[in-house]
């Protein structure tokens, strides 16, 4: 694994801000993402994935 984290961006769920690798503790962040713009969409991406899983018949055991 590479030690170069220069292109890693995270969304901090506590602060609502995008931050580089050298940021807050991992438990408060989503990522890594390849750009600050992608990281800024982290909550949207989570919602999209949750909706996809909720509507996936392979995972629907109701």
């Amino acid at each position: 694994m590479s030690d170069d984290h220069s292109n890693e961006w995270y969304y901090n769920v506590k602060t609502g801000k995008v931050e580089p690798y050298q940021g807050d503790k991992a438990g408060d962040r989503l990522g890594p993402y390849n750009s600050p713009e992608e990281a800024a969409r982290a909550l949207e991406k989570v919602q999209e994935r949750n909706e996809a899983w909720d509507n996936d018949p392979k995972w629907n055991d109701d």
Side-chain angles (χ1 to χ4, degrees):
M1 200 165 183
S2 174
D3 288 337
D4 180 17
H5 301 283
S6 62
N7 198 33
E8 292 182 13
W9 295 91
Y10 296 81
Y11 180 82
N12 187 315
V13 296
K14 282 193 168 185
T15 66
K17 296 182 180 179
V18 172
E19 53 192 39
Y21 175 78
Q22 301 81 5
D24 217 347
K25 63 182 179 178
D28 295 334
R29 305 192 307 173
L30 300 174
Y33 295 93
N34 292 326
S35 71
E37 295 79 18
E38 284 184 52
R41 285 196 67 243
L43 294 181
E44 292 175 46
K45 193 67 167 174
V46 167
Q47 183 63 31
E48 291 169 4
R49 289 177 178 161
N50 285 344
E51 288 175 8
W53 291 333
D54 287 345
N55 296 315
D56 187 336
K58 294 182 286 187
W59 295 103
N60 190 353
D61 59 358
D62 292 341

